[in-house]
Amino acid sequence: MRFFRKLTLLTLIAVYLLIMVGGIVRSTGSGMGCPDWPKCFGSWVPPITVEQLPENYKEVYAAHREKKNVRFANYLKKLGMEETAIKILNDKSILQEADFNVTKTWVEYINRVIGVIIGLLIFAVFVASIRFWSWDKKITIIGFATFFLVGIQGWIGSFVVSTNLTPWTVTVHMLLALVIVALLVYLYFESTKDKQIRKVPYGLSLLVLCMTLLVMQIVLGTQVREAIDVAASSLLPRSSWIEASWASFVIHRTFSWLIVIAHVVLLWKLLKSEGSKILPYSLAVLILATILSGVGMAYFDIPAFLQPVHLTVASITVGLQFLLALQLNSGRGEMLINQHVSARST
């Protein structure tokens, strides 16, 4: 159990590292550094000069991605998303190939290498979880579900590339990463011997609300990112990016006040509860760091280094919220059992 807990924690940290690297990929505009998937320019090791590519490499990889988009559109039609499928097939801008840039290519390549390592780690978590099947089937089932979702994540990632970073595919990719984080947090919680159980009346509902608001805020953040990408591709100066994305930026900024208010109430309840105060204080620090990094982007023209920091801290916060939710849920279950026993004894 100790080995499994350490392996799960290592994998969880690696996933957060990948989220941060993914943020770097986005902030540096390296998302299409490799125009194909899973290889990069048709090779497992990407080129370092444009001379290593054929003269018509843009046409070659655009045609390759077009074939993949046709398959993707067929999948969407089967899911009832025919309008979205037709839009992808008719949007020729998706097939525009960027000029080769060795820095962006290797940034994206490193992102993929880390993704492969995490896939192997999660497979190891699943294999290790099989040992618990005889007395705790939940651990094995969640271990398999996590490994299965990583495969789905890679599959979706291939279409993120083939559709030239179509915004909604990027959002789905990010949300699925948060689901994988939640499953790993669950495995870590279940493998902990001395679980910190918190008894906070009505605290679980409030925590779920806070977690929902934060996930919604992350989705709103992807909309801001989309608008900023459009501004950047239009060669507008960095100082004009916020103005160009003003509508989505204002919504994102205003929504943050709901998150602050909800978390102030939540933290007040948690700090009055039984148990260690480490996690509540950690949550407070993470929320503050998320807000400050967002303020820094707003007032300093969206510096590239703050974008992955902002995303990573918000993602870590969601994971910590879920861990607290598991604690509160266990505490509520314990209280219900105690109430039942007390009622029977009287």
Side-chain angles (χ1 to χ4, degrees):
M1 185 65 80
R2 181 182 300 175
F3 168 77
F4 181 75
R5 183 168 63 253
K6 289 182 178 180
L7 177 61
T8 303
L9 181 60
L10 174 64
T11 306
L12 181 60
I13 293 171
V15 171
Y16 281 130
L17 175 63
L18 182 60
I19 290 174
M20 183 179 69
V21 173
I24 294 173
V25 169
R26 289 286 284 166
S27 65
T28 58
S30 304
M32 293 303 295
C34 295
D36 50 339
W37 193 96
K39 295 183 178 181
C40 185
F41 286 103
S43 175
W44 293 113
V45 179
I48 57 176
T49 63
V50 71
E51 286 74 21
Q52 294 177 262
L53 300 173
E55 291 186 3
N56 63 335
Y57 73 91
K58 290 186 177 182
E59 291 78 7
V60 170
Y61 293 111
H64 175 77
R65 290 194 289 116
E66 185 173 22
K67 290 180 181 179
K68 181 168 285 189
N69 287 342
V70 170
R71 294 200 301 271
F72 186 39
N74 289 333
Y75 293 138
L76 293 176
K77 287 178 181 179
K78 291 178 182 179
L79 293 173
M81 302 173 64
E82 188 166 351
E83 184 177 345
T84 303
I86 293 174
K87 185 176 180 181
I88 287 175
L89 293 176
N90 292 337
D91 187 358
K92 298 304 177 185
S93 65
I94 286 177
L95 301 177
Q96 291 179 359
E97 197 69 37
D99 294 332
F100 174 77
N101 182 303
V102 64
T103 302
K104 292 181 178 181
T105 294
W106 278 85
V107 168
E108 170 59 15
Y109 179 69
I110 291 172
N111 178 47
R112 295 186 183 187
V113 169
I114 295 175
V116 171
I117 293 172
I118 288 173
L120 294 174
L121 283 173
I122 290 181
F123 178 69
V125 169
F126 165 58
V127 172
S129 72
I130 296 175
R131 300 174 60 188
F132 305 108
W133 178 258
S134 59
W135 76 85
D136 195 345
K137 291 181 173 58
K138 294 194 303 296
I139 291 180
T140 306
I141 292 171
I142 296 299
F144 173 75
T146 308
F147 177 63
F148 177 76
L149 285 181
V150 167
I152 298 296
Q153 181 78 318
W155 181 69
I156 292 176
S158 70
F159 293 118
V160 171
V161 173
S162 69
T163 58
N164 201 357
L165 310 179
T166 299
W168 71 268
T169 62
V170 175
T171 302
V172 171
H173 200 54
M174 181 65 219
L175 290 176
L176 189 54
L178 293 179
V179 173
I180 292 172
V181 163
L183 293 179
L184 288 171
V185 169
Y186 178 84
L187 290 174
Y188 177 77
F189 178 76
E190 287 297 315
S191 64
T192 302
K193 280 187 177 181
D194 300 321
K195 301 175 184 176
Q196 286 288 332
I197 306 302
R198 297 182 178 278
K199 302 175 183 179
V200 186
Y202 313 110
L204 181 60
S205 299
L206 180 57
L207 181 53
V208 170
L209 172 63
C210 289
M211 191 161 47
T212 302
L213 290 175
L214 188 56
V215 172
M216 291 173 62
Q217 180 74 326
I218 291 175
V219 173
L220 291 174
T222 64
Q223 304 303 310
V224 177
R225 181 70 246 179
E226 175 190 349
I228 289 174
D229 286 344
V230 172
S233 63
S234 302
L235 302 180
L236 291 174
R238 185 178 289 271
S239 58
S240 302
W241 286 1
I242 291 181
E243 182 180 355
S245 58
W246 186 248
S248 55
F249 173 78
V250 169
I251 294 173
H252 185 65
R253 184 181 63 183
T254 304
F255 200 77
S256 64
W257 283 106
L258 291 177
I259 293 176
V260 170
I261 294 171
H263 278 85
V264 167
V265 178
L266 173 66
L267 289 168
W268 176 71
K269 281 182 168 292
L270 289 176
L271 291 174
K272 290 177 60 179
S273 68
E274 301 176 9
S276 171
K277 301 297 186 291
I278 294 177
L279 289 184
Y281 280 128
S282 298
L283 179 60
V285 170
L286 287 171
I287 290 294
L288 182 61
T290 303
I291 293 171
L292 290 178
S293 58
V295 171
M297 289 197 294
Y299 283 93
F300 296 100
D301 298 330
I302 315 180
F305 79 93
L306 269 182
Q307 296 174 48
V309 171
H310 189 59
L311 175 62
T312 305
V313 173
S315 302
I316 293 174
T317 305
V318 172
L320 184 60
Q321 287 175 329
F322 188 65
L323 178 59
L324 282 167
L326 292 173
Q327 290 185 356
L328 291 180
N329 187 57
S330 297
R332 186 176 67 168
E334 184 178 293
M335 284 191 290
L336 290 175
I337 292 173
N338 291 338
Q339 290 172 2
H340 179 69
V341 171
S342 176
R344 292 190 62 180
S345 63
T346 55

